[in-house]
Amino acid sequence: METDAGDTTAPATLSPRPPCARISCHKSSNICSRSYFMVVMVFFHIYIINVIALLLYVHYNDGHGGAGPSRDAPSGEHRQLPESHRLPAQPEFLRDISLPRIEGIRVGHVQKVSLVTDKVHEMRTLSLKPLLFEIPDFLSEEECRVVMQLAQLKGLMESQLMVQEGQEELVEELNLSPEDIFNLLDINQDGQLQLHEILTHSRVRDGIWLTPENLREIYAGLKADKDGNGLLSLEEFRLLSSDAFQRFLLQQGVKRSQLVRNSRHTWLYQGKGAHRVLQDIKKRVTRLTRLPPALVDLSEPLQVVLYEQGGHYHAHHDSGPVYPETACTHTRLAANTSTPFETSCRYITVLFYLNSVEGGGETAFPVADNRTYDEVSLIQNDVDLLDTRKNCDKSNLRVKPTKGTAVFWYNYLSDGKGWVGEQDEYSLHGGCMVTHGMKWVANKWINIDPDYQRQARYQQLVSQQPEDDDDDDEGLKMSTDPYNSDTHQDL
């Protein structure tokens, strides 16, 4: 996934909105938040399938606190594997490693950081929720030029392709009734589906971006809203097929401006033998984040993204919350479990501006330092705070792209014991539409599994170093860069 992670620099622009003007969100219950996550996890584009994922999650957790098998799961889904097919017992690793976490102190606080020889950088706190910093002149003009040139030489690909069709098999397999799906969509349980209830469940990273206007057009085209009141009753809902919305949109023709993101990107390897500038950037990121070099080495390559005029990326999270039913994509091979739910586990996002943008292209954090967060409240009175083409000016924080500036933030909170905790929902961010010129950015994600045992096991599996190497901590030995064109996924 290409992230327009928050861009912040000394000339970063904080939207001058008084606290009273910020949206009033109310924190959902843990079950509700997890339900939204599971909905978004399984599906790519159709709100129906998103809801199915939610129902599957509810089944898994029915009366078992999230740990027991589902009574409604397909027969044999949780059968024990034969002894000959079981994975060997996994070693337990002592949690002898703590992840340093930089303190933000307060918004506007400036810290001195030493990242390169004979130079001191200033790092300014932009927000505390999420914990977000900016470092002007992190990259030199020459380094920005080299990164853009290397990306062009490798070749840029479209960041998002059109959505896949044919998700009805999952509906049949789970044997869900329209009533089941309707009740899950009906957040306030009033017996009617409001526009924002449909939109909340349809917001996915790689789909078609539905707006309230789109939804009304779909209702009219499908003759779904018989009484024309903008609401769907259960009777009206029963008349829709599982992928009716998507099929209607594809028949009408979808423009790139209607997608969740409109950009091109590529990945640049930073391991042994990579261009000197790319290796230097990785070392600088390691010093900036103060994390063990091995963790940075095992993370994703550098992603370089180009937004041309009209390019955008609607607000999203770089990472998802991780529950017992989910696995991190980067450690899935070491999870020793089978699950349909995967999420990217990006503990830290570091974003670099490779050029100054003539018009637009800010990085928006819609709810930065908001008092509370609730996903449903992001869409109110047809004002969608996630829509970076229309409502960037309503975000609590916007960062103007400035060449050489780096911004970074934590996508997860601390667990209070020196490791990764819950997802920081306030890290919601997006790339505002570029109105003049073009915008070049690069992203460096540091992948860490909130489950320490899975992270340690994964690192042991990919390690190419001798077991008696005293330079690395036990369970955290790793090779310089395990990613290659065959194994790396564009998340």
Side-chain angles (χ1 to χ4, degrees):
M1 121 188 167
E2 148 261 310
T3 179
D4 194 324
D7 342 350
T8 61
T9 107
T13 304
L14 280 77
S15 180
R17 303 179 62 222
C20 61
R22 296 185 175 187
I23 63 171
S24 175
C25 301
H26 300 286
K27 177 71 176 173
S28 306
S29 68
N30 186 46
I31 293 177
C32 184
S33 297
R34 292 176 66 171
S35 297
Y36 289 153
F37 164 72
M38 302 311 282
V39 167
V40 173
M41 281 298 305
V42 174
F43 211 158
F44 300 100
H45 315 286
I46 314 168
Y47 77 90
I48 294 292
I49 304 301
N50 285 322
V51 176
I52 290 169
L54 174 59
L55 185 59
L56 183 58
Y57 162 71
V58 172
H59 288 335
Y60 270 120
N61 289 275
D62 187 15
H64 296 82
S70 167
R71 292 173 298 176
D72 303 304
S75 174
E77 182 173 337
H78 295 283
R79 288 182 313 210
Q80 278 195 324
L81 292 172
E83 192 70 36
S84 59
H85 288 81
R86 293 181 196 170
L87 293 175
Q90 300 293 344
E92 291 296 310
F93 298 94
L94 296 177
R95 279 196 37 179
D96 54 354
I97 300 242
S98 292
L99 302 176
R101 193 175 176 92
I102 300 173
E103 294 295 331
I105 311 299
R106 64 182 181 279
V107 175
H109 178 72
V110 176
Q111 307 178 47
K112 305 288 187 181
V113 291
S114 178
L115 304 175
V116 295
T117 306
D118 300 328
K119 183 175 181 179
V120 176
H121 287 82
E122 289 189 347
M123 180 172 68
R124 184 160 70 100
T125 302
L126 292 184
S127 79
L128 299 178
K129 298 192 306 184
L131 193 51
L132 169 67
F133 304 91
E134 69 168 354
I135 308 96
D137 301 318
F138 187 94
L139 299 179
S140 68
E141 186 169 341
E142 174 65 12
E143 288 173 326
C144 290
R145 185 191 64 78
V146 168
V147 172
M148 290 188 290
Q149 188 176 47
L150 290 173
Q152 289 173 310
L153 288 172
K154 183 171 182 183
L156 300 168
M157 68 186 79
E158 295 290 347
S159 297
Q160 181 179 334
L161 303 176
M162 287 304 171
V163 296
Q164 299 175 355
E165 297 186 68
Q167 301 290 337
E168 293 171 317
E169 293 180 3
L170 183 55
V171 181
E172 296 175 0
E173 180 181 346
L174 294 176
N175 194 27
L176 300 179
S177 69
E179 289 80 3
D180 293 330
I181 300 171
F182 183 91
N183 288 330
L184 288 168
L185 280 171
D186 188 11
I187 299 171
N188 60 9
Q189 293 296 296
D190 65 350
Q192 301 280 343
L193 295 185
Q194 281 82 21
L195 292 175
H196 75 271
E197 289 175 324
I198 300 290
L199 292 174
T200 297
H201 284 287
S202 68
R203 290 300 161 76
V204 290
R205 185 166 292 158
D206 291 318
I208 298 171
W209 185 261
L210 292 178
T211 66
E213 295 80 10
N214 292 150
L215 214 46
R216 293 189 186 97
E217 292 173 5
I218 293 171
Y219 285 178
L222 296 175
K223 296 181 173 55
D225 184 13
K226 300 295 184 182
D227 52 17
N229 64 354
L231 305 173
L232 287 186
S233 65
L234 176 57
E235 290 70 27
E236 292 169 331
F237 183 76
R238 282 197 185 102
L239 301 177
L240 296 174
S241 64
S242 62
D243 58 356
F245 284 14
Q246 180 182 350
R247 287 185 177 179
F248 178 83
L249 287 170
L250 292 176
Q251 288 171 0
Q252 297 298 306
V254 179
K255 301 176 182 177
R256 295 213 62 80
S257 60
Q258 294 176 282
L259 299 178
V260 171
R261 52 179 171 172
N262 181 11
S263 62
R264 293 187 293 147
H265 75 275
T266 193
W267 302 90
L268 298 179
Y269 171 76
Q270 291 183 281
K272 196 172 184 179
H275 193 284
R276 175 187 54 81
V277 167
L278 299 178
Q279 294 195 59
D280 287 347
I281 292 174
K282 187 177 68 171
K283 292 176 183 176
R284 218 170 299 164
V285 166
T286 303
R287 299 190 70 176
L288 171 67
T289 59
R290 306 172 190 176
L291 294 174
L295 285 173
V296 181
D297 288 341
L298 259 194
S299 294
E300 294 167 75
L302 187 73
Q303 186 192 53
V304 183
V305 188
L306 170 62
Y307 295 88
E308 298 178 293
Q309 188 163 324
H312 70 278
Y313 195 172
H314 290 307
H316 60 282
H317 289 100
D318 281 354
S319 291
V322 179
Y323 304 123
E325 303 83 10
T326 65
C328 294
T329 299
H330 76 285
T331 58
R332 65 191 182 281
L333 296 178
N336 193 22
T337 185
S338 176
T339 172
F341 303 126
E342 288 184 10
T343 186
S344 54
C345 296
R346 291 162 168 166
Y347 179 58
I348 288 179
T349 296
V350 186
L351 178 134
F352 314 96
Y353 292 110
L354 303 178
N355 75 319
S356 298
V357 182
E358 295 178 40
E362 300 92 345
T363 300
F365 292 80
V367 294
D369 284 327
N370 214 63
R371 290 191 299 274
T372 55
Y373 175 90
D374 177 28
E375 186 174 2
V376 177
S377 299
L378 294 170
I379 308 172
Q380 294 182 349
N381 301 321
D382 282 358
V383 175
D384 184 357
L385 293 178
L386 301 176
D387 194 328
T388 58
R389 289 179 58 85
K390 294 182 178 179
N391 299 314
C392 265
D393 60 329
K394 296 179 177 62
S395 292
N396 287 351
L397 171 66
R398 286 178 292 152
V399 182
K400 183 178 176 60
T402 303
K403 181 189 291 187
T405 294
V407 292
F408 86 96
W409 64 89
Y410 295 89
N411 293 302
Y412 293 93
L413 304 172
S414 171
D415 69 347
K417 302 176 183 178
W419 198 250
V420 182
E422 295 181 355
Q423 179 196 36
D424 189 341
E425 296 169 321
Y426 295 90
S427 65
L428 184 74
H429 65 282
C432 300
M433 183 173 66
V434 176
T435 56
H436 293 92
M438 59 181 58
K439 171 185 173 183
W440 284 90
V441 297
N443 300 295
K444 180 63 180 178
W445 288 292
I446 300 177
N447 305 101
I448 305 178
D449 195 320
D451 185 318
Y452 181 90
Q453 294 298 321
R454 282 201 305 242
Q455 181 70 29
R457 192 176 301 129
Y458 160 69
Q459 294 176 190
Q460 184 188 59
L461 287 175
V462 300
S463 176
Q464 296 176 357
Q465 300 178 8
E467 298 236 346
D468 59 353
D469 189 340
D470 296 330
D471 294 335
D472 286 317
D473 298 286
E474 180 181 4
L476 289 174
K477 299 173 181 145
M478 59 196 73
S479 61
T480 51
D481 198 326
Y483 291 104
N484 56 53
S485 59
D486 295 324
T487 61
H488 179 70
Q489 293 189 359
D490 178 10
L491 300 175

